[in-house]
Amino acid sequence: MTEITSKNNRKTIWLSIFFSLLFFIALGTFMINIFYKKWLANEIENKTYLMPMFGLLAYFIGFSFAKSYIKNSPKIILDFEKIIIKNKTYYWKDIQNIKMTGKKGFGLLNYQMEVTTLEFKNNIAEYIFDDMYSNSWEIKSFIKQIVINKKDNFEINHKKIVEKEIEKENFEEFKGNSIFSFRGIMLWSLILFFIYLEIFTVGKISKLSSLKFFIPICLIWFGFNAYCMHYFELSKNYFVVRNHYFWWVKDIYKNSEIEIIIYESQAKQPNNLRVITKNYRRKIYPAGTLNDKKWLDMKMELERKNINVRNECI
């Protein structure tokens, strides 16, 4: 009997736990330390007493995030009859509704993440967070094929599209300006500022030391912003993702194999495009150079190609 076991995305989970704990513990400790110094110096005011309270709140938020990551990544086992989530067993015959895509709040701050929702009898709902499992696409494909489509066997399509297949396609580009867009200005203004400091203000003796400082910062800054500069090409049959600066990036999707495209954004990040294929493999592409008009024009063209688009941010 075919059986699928979840594979926890340990890299994502532990990095998220580490950085969220580090940030909130540092914030909480900073505020408590300020209160302690004022208390030693006998400079306490009424509002100063709020600082340790906010510090403890920061600790609470940090540990709540860690708890949420651990709680929402239980071991999952699926077969043709049932799904076992941690120590709870549910039978497919009791399923009432399945939502293969959608967002749900995660953690104390309600961070929106992509989930699969399983609704069983007696108003019981279970949520499978995509980012918690490296093989979430496999879990979702199994549910789609075996539970929804009632297939007798589970199949995985490993076929990869090669560039030769798209040579005769006529593509329409959806891209912004990699230099004069807001993201482009952010990228090059800091780098040019460092070049100005290096040429006109840094003394000759300290030039080598300054280069050791500036070059790593500029490379990290360039890499981060360049990663946020994807653009898109659409033809009658294919959807292609490219990058303004990383010329080797060229992800090709067949339109008929795309389940949904999602426009999304989190906090102050650039707008992202998430592609979810029909076998539920997923990938996210930050695209900070596109303006709202380009995004909406692309949405209209995608829908004309019968590609489902969910717009969450524009």
Side-chain angles (χ1 to χ4, degrees), residues 40-299:
L40 287 179
N42 199 26
E43 298 175 355
I44 295 292
E45 302 176 12
N46 288 336
K47 62 182 181 181
T48 311
Y49 286 103
L50 293 175
M51 301 191 80
M53 296 173 62
F54 283 123
L56 293 174
L57 178 61
Y59 288 157
F60 174 74
I61 293 173
F63 284 102
S64 294
F65 258 105
K67 181 181 177 181
S68 294
Y69 275 100
I70 295 170
K71 178 183 177 182
N72 290 300
S73 57
K75 183 178 180 180
I76 299 173
I77 301 175
L78 310 89
D79 60 33
F80 281 83
E81 295 180 354
K82 63 187 179 296
I83 179 171
I84 302 172
I85 302 176
K86 198 175 181 179
N87 56 359
K88 296 179 181 178
T89 301
Y90 304 97
Y91 291 91
W92 297 126
K93 61 184 178 64
D94 296 326
I95 198 77
Q96 298 288 305
N97 188 35
I98 299 174
K99 296 178 182 177
M100 299 302 294
T101 62
K103 287 289 197 299
K104 179 175 171 56
F106 182 91
L108 190 66
L109 301 181
N110 207 38
Y111 183 86
Q112 295 297 301
M113 295 178 68
E114 196 71 21
V115 297
T116 299
T117 304
L118 305 176
E119 297 176 0
F120 296 90
K121 289 180 180 178
N122 300 321
N123 295 319
I124 298 173
E126 290 285 354
Y127 304 95
I128 301 173
F129 286 86
D130 287 10
D131 291 339
M132 296 295 101
Y133 305 97
S134 59
N135 69 331
S136 63
W137 65 271
E138 189 178 21
I139 294 171
K140 292 159 81 86
S141 292
F142 185 91
I143 293 171
K144 180 70 176 289
Q145 292 182 42
I146 303 305
V147 183
I148 297 177
N149 295 337
K150 308 293 184 183
K151 288 187 175 182
D152 294 327
N153 61 315
F154 176 56
E155 299 176 348
I156 297 177
N157 180 13
H158 292 290
K159 183 181 177 183
K160 189 174 182 180
I161 301 170
V162 295
E163 287 195 40
K164 190 175 181 180
E165 294 182 48
I166 66 171
E167 286 179 353
K168 297 181 180 179
E169 295 286 318
N170 294 315
F171 285 95
E172 180 180 0
E173 280 189 343
F174 297 92
K175 64 190 296 188
N177 191 300
S178 62
I179 298 176
F180 297 108
S181 63
F182 176 73
R183 179 64 54 177
I185 292 171
M186 280 181 58
L187 167 60
W188 292 111
S189 59
L190 182 65
I191 291 176
L192 290 173
F193 175 69
F194 280 154
I195 291 173
Y196 170 81
L197 289 179
E198 180 66 22
I199 294 174
F200 296 105
T201 64
V202 178
K204 292 182 180 179
I205 298 176
S206 59
K207 275 190 182 296
L208 183 59
S209 298
S210 64
L211 283 173
K212 290 179 180 179
F213 173 76
F214 289 151
I215 289 176
I217 291 179
C218 288
L219 288 175
I220 292 170
W221 183 248
F222 176 83
F224 169 74
N225 283 282
Y227 170 71
C228 295
M229 293 187 183
H230 291 92
Y231 66 94
F232 313 100
E233 298 174 342
L234 180 65
S235 73
K236 180 181 178 181
N237 299 300
Y238 294 92
F239 181 70
V240 179
V241 181
R242 308 194 67 159
N243 187 283
H244 285 281
Y245 291 104
F246 300 155
W247 66 89
W248 59 88
V249 172
K250 193 171 187 179
D251 292 346
I252 305 170
Y253 300 91
K254 200 167 186 176
N255 293 346
S256 60
E257 294 178 356
I258 297 175
E259 175 74 12
I260 189 171
I261 284 177
I262 305 166
Y263 292 0
E264 60 183 57
S265 182
Q266 294 287 350
K268 300 298 183 181
Q269 299 176 19
N271 292 333
N272 302 318
L273 183 143
R274 183 189 295 266
V275 178
I276 301 178
T277 64
K278 290 193 182 296
N279 64 3
Y280 294 99
R281 291 185 184 272
R282 68 198 187 281
K283 197 165 182 181
I284 191 166
Y285 302 97
T289 66
L290 273 69
N291 58 34
D292 288 354
K293 184 178 184 305
K294 287 284 186 183
W295 282 105
L296 295 175
D297 288 346
M298 183 168 64
K299 179 178 183 293

